Amino acid sequence: MTNKRALYRNRRAGKVAGVCAGIAEYFNLETWLVRVAVVSIFLLGGSAIIFVGYIALWMILDEKPVEKQQDAADLTVKKKVWQAGEPAKQALQDVSSRFHTLESRLRAIETYVTSDQYELKRQINNL
């Protein structure tokens, strides 16, 4: 598994073209923080540069490819407020919920495998 990162537009998480969302994802920042920075620079005098830069990135950057469902091993926990990811408490609750679900399923499987019904079905199938 390679850890190559690439800069993409993220239209699913974006408001206009996904440029700010893509930049935020690339630098592991919250999207709102990048948007605030871009709007602040736009309003404080760099309007032409930011506008042209945004349009250029919109045209140059490829759209982010569709990924599979995020796995539990890919869980990212934010350490600072401006970083992207889940807050530690939410991540702990999510992991705890997943383990509780897995434990319930495992108990159901153990109950079935140790039952007489399982042994009877196994013997019938062996005939």
Side-chain angles (χ1 to χ4, degrees), residues 28-40:
N28 195 28
L29 298 170
E30 289 287 343
T31 306
W32 65 268
L33 188 63
V34 175
R35 288 181 185 138
V36 166
V38 168
V39 169
S40 298

Side-chain angles (χ1 to χ4, degrees), residues 60-106:
I60 293 170
L61 293 178
D62 293 329
E63 239 182 271
K64 182 178 179 183
V66 178
E67 295 178 352
K68 294 181 185 174
Q69 186 78 357
Q70 186 178 12
D71 196 12
D74 297 337
L75 184 67
T76 55
V77 178
K78 67 167 85 176
K79 295 174 183 75
K80 307 245 189 306
V81 175
W82 59 84
Q83 288 181 328
E86 276 191 288
K89 285 184 179 181
Q90 182 64 41
L92 183 61
Q93 288 175 352
D94 290 347
V95 169
S96 177
S97 170
R98 289 178 186 167
F99 278 130
H100 181 67
T101 303
L102 289 173
E103 183 181 8
S104 299
R105 291 176 61 193
L106 184 59

Side-chain angles (χ1 to χ4, degrees), residues 8 18 23 27-28 48 59 66 90 93 103 114 120 124 127:
Y8 292 110
I23 291 171
F27 289 109
N28 195 28
M59 298 298 169
V66 178
Q90 182 64 41
Q93 288 175 352
E103 183 181 8
T114 57
L120 179 63
I124 291 173
L127 291 178

Side-chain angles (χ1 to χ4, degrees), residues 6-27 31-32 34-35 38 53-65:
L7 185 58
Y8 292 110
R9 288 184 297 127
N10 190 350
R11 292 197 68 165
R12 287 174 292 287
K15 295 288 184 188
V16 177
V19 174
C20 290
I23 291 171
E25 187 174 309
Y26 184 79
F27 289 109
T31 306
W32 65 268
V34 175
R35 288 181 185 138
V38 168
Y54 190 90
I55 298 298
L57 287 174
W58 185 351
M59 298 298 169
I60 293 170
L61 293 178
D62 293 329
E63 239 182 271
K64 182 178 179 183

